[in-house]
Amino acid sequence: MNPDDPLLKILACPLDKGPLHLLTLGDGEAPDSGAEPSAGEALYNPRLHRRYPIVDGIPQLLPSSGEQVTEDEHEELLKRMVP
């Protein structure tokens, strides 16, 4: 997914309906979805500390697809969010 993709402006977190932020995951880091994320990408909700995988270019935005991240991981993800 491209950072200036218009789809990013309309996608919302399924839990709080707030905006999501695109992030690129580092090596060896994958959302807990059982599938590889597309090009290591995910959408992140910093308010709820939830990460949603992008699989084959498709954001997985079911509440059950989101992964809760730890406080330390949250701090790291904030540094890597694509503006």
Side-chain angles (χ1 to χ4, degrees):
M1 184 170 275
N2 190 336
D4 45 323
D5 190 327
L7 185 60
L8 284 174
K9 294 187 185 326
I10 61 172
L11 290 177
C13 175
L15 298 176
D16 74 354
K17 310 301 187 240
L20 295 167
H21 301 276
L22 179 66
L23 54 87
T24 301
L25 301 175
D27 292 336
E29 188 178 356
D32 189 20
S33 66
E36 286 297 312
S38 174
E41 293 177 327
L43 294 172
Y44 186 59
N45 179 339
R47 297 167 307 284
L48 299 180
H49 298 203
R50 291 192 65 84
R51 176 174 49 200
Y52 297 92
I54 299 174
V55 180
D56 295 330
I58 301 169
Q60 306 297 304
L61 294 177
L62 293 172
S64 61
S65 297
E67 174 188 19
Q68 194 72 32
V69 301
T70 64
E71 189 63 36
D72 291 338
E73 192 173 9
H74 168 72
E75 294 299 325
E76 184 61 33
L77 292 175
L78 287 178
K79 295 175 189 171
R80 292 192 282 164
M81 283 190 330
V82 175

